[in-house]
Amino acid sequence: MTHWFHRNPLKATAPVSFNYYEIVTGPTASKICSDLRSSRARLLELFTDLSCNPETMKSAADAYFSLLQGFINSLDGSSQESKLRYVQNFKWTDTLQGQVPSAQQDAVFELVSMGFNVALWYTKYASRLAGKENITEEEAKEVHRSLKIAAGIFKHLKESHIPKLITPAEKGRDLEARLIDAYIVQCQAEAQEVTIARAIELKHAPGLIAALAYETANFYQKADHTLSSLEPAYSAKWRKYLLLKMCFYTAYAYCYHGQTLLASDKCGEAIRSLQEAEKLYAKAEALCKEYGETKGPGPTAKPSGHLFFRKLGSLVKNTLEKCQRENGFIYFQKIPTEAPQLELKANYGLVEPVPFEFPPTSAHWTPEALAAFDLTKRPKDDGTKAKPEEAVKPMKEPDVRPQKDTGCSVS
């Protein structure tokens, strides 16, 4: 079963040369600077390389982060910070706020910003894979795994590294708690979509599918609520996506709950549940149109034309007609005026983020290598500080054409 996911743009960054001619006093320090420069450039290239897979991404990210750790942590494992933490200014844009970057002279800012992009890459990799027309079981597992990894990275950044920033994240910026939370919950919800598709394919009990769909709808509602206090100018499109998915999966829940009720000979209640599913599906369809018309970061798409969307519409229609036929021939039950309350709890299939840790400091960081950085030779008039308002070139993300019959483009 194909899936469609909304994606915000990658963060963009200014180039960093890691050239410290004044303070570097030995070949070991020069080698570390050279490796930092090349491993950072390599990682940035991979973000937009369609041939990149999770193994390649992890290897490249570990190579850069293990070297960057020497700019952040002391080599003796104590809580003391590295003397190099504040020697370099880093500039990063945000996924929602265009190309005006934030700048901080702090290696922790670089760590969390690049880590954020790695998490975004996993979500985009999952999105590309999930949009294939004939996705295999192994590919579905890869989608599921990638989304859980992304959620784990976002969670780790929020809990362990963003609090260490000297300058707190500005409101509405990527590193602010509301946005990080929304990304975490969205990853969990999308991974559960894969679980639901698998449960349907294996013909699991309708009660389990209804419960999973209901929990997934709640995840989307939670993510939307998290973004509700953000400026609509840059959050509106993302929120339309979250709302349409919430309606869509609530419709799924009512549809499969109706099947459970029918199997229990509660045909009148089943019809009412299916009527509610029909109403929510229509609402989701209207939100699909609004999503396509809303300006803001994210892909141009027509989700209502996507296979995953159309399949639910047919299922709701056919199941409702079946219930109505059986009520007319067999049950003759009264249809309640109120929709049944969904108090469904899934005991299986709920998604938790995969725990994430940055790699340890590279073995290249020896006491001798660190000593070869002599900060006393640093010029007093340090020109490394850049103007935050300078524009940074956006990432040139590949234009991924939709697969046949998917009706959308996935970034």
Side-chain angles (χ1 to χ4, degrees), residues 12-14 40 89-93 101-103 109 386-388 390-392:
T13 181
R40 186 181 199 261
N89 193 69
F90 298 96
K91 292 168 60 176
W92 284 89
T93 63
S102 300
F109 180 65
K387 295 176 182 177
E390 286 177 14
V392 168

Side-chain angles (χ1 to χ4, degrees), residues 232-247:
Y234 53 80
S235 65
K237 193 175 186 75
W238 191 4
R239 289 192 64 200
K240 291 289 183 196
Y241 166 77
L242 298 171
L243 284 168
L244 80 84
K245 282 290 185 85
M246 182 195 79
C247 288

